[in-house]
Amino acid sequence: MRRAHPVVGRLRLGLVRHAPPLLKDEPDVLVATRCPACDTPHAWVVGRDTPPPGDQVAHFLTPMHRAWDDVVHTCRNQRLFCSTDCVDTWLQRTGQERGYLMDLGTLWRFAGDWYTGRLEPGYTRRDPASAAAYFAEVGLHGSFWGLPD
C-alpha cells in the first residue's frame, strides 16, 4: 500500500505545479483541494508522463512583473477552480480583477521544469529573459507573462 507523501495537506495549485520536479523519488503524487468559489472538492494523481485529467482551470491573479513584490500574495492567489464561472464568482466576491486562466494541461507543462533544482543548494531563480523564454516554450502568452499575445 502506498502512503500519502507528507507534503500533501492543505494544497491548492502548489503540488499540481511543483510536485514532480520537487519530489524526484515519487512517481506520482495525490493532490487534493477545494474550489475557492464553491468549495467543491477536487483530487488528482499527478505524474510525470501526462497531465491530470479534468476540466478545471487554474487562475493566476498576479502578473509576473509584479510577482516578486509580494511573493506570498502571489502564491496564495494561484488557485484551481471548477470552471471560469467559479473564477468569475470568486473575483466578484473578493473584488479582484481577472488574471490569467489556463487549463490543467498547460499548468502541468508549466510545472514540468519551472522549479527543477529548487531544493538544491545554490539554486538561483531564472532571470527575466530566461523565465520569459520558458513561459513561451510551455505555451503561455500575453503581457501577463511578459510575452506577446
Side-chain angles (χ1 to χ4, degrees):
M1 171 167 31
R2 291 187 57 191
R3 297 180 318 154
H5 193 278
V7 173
V8 179
R10 183 177 167 249
L11 297 173
R12 291 185 207 106
L13 201 50
L15 278 182
V16 172
R17 286 187 22 209
H18 310 312
L22 290 179
L23 303 174
K24 292 183 270 190
D25 296 332
E26 299 293 328
D28 55 41
V29 294
L30 174 64
V31 177
T33 191
R34 292 182 180 271
C35 176
C38 70
D39 208 36
T40 297
H42 299 285
W44 303 268
V45 173
V46 180
R48 299 174 194 286
D49 298 327
T50 59
D55 295 326
Q56 296 85 356
V57 296
H59 178 260
F60 285 61
L61 185 65
T62 307
M64 283 301 106
H65 73 278
R66 304 291 315 258
W68 294 102
D69 294 355
D70 183 347
V71 74
V72 172
H73 178 267
T74 298
C75 292
R76 279 189 180 154
N77 288 286
Q78 297 172 348
R79 310 290 300 267
L80 289 165
F81 293 83
C82 297
S83 65
T84 56
D85 288 342
C86 279
V87 172
D88 292 338
T89 298
W90 181 79
L91 291 171
Q92 184 175 16
R93 186 172 64 225
T94 62
Q96 305 286 344
E97 292 192 26
R98 181 176 281 197
Y100 190 90
L101 291 170
M102 65 178 82
D103 61 28
L104 294 180
T106 302
L107 177 63
W108 181 83
R109 285 189 302 280
F110 172 53
D113 278 325
W114 182 245
Y115 279 106
T116 296
R118 177 80 167 122
L119 299 179
E120 303 299 321
Y123 172 82
T124 304
R125 72 176 190 233
R126 288 176 170 86
D127 63 79
S130 298
Y134 181 79
F135 297 154
E137 179 184 319
V138 298
L140 303 177
H141 56 83
S143 61
F144 187 93
W145 300 99
L147 300 169
D149 285 328

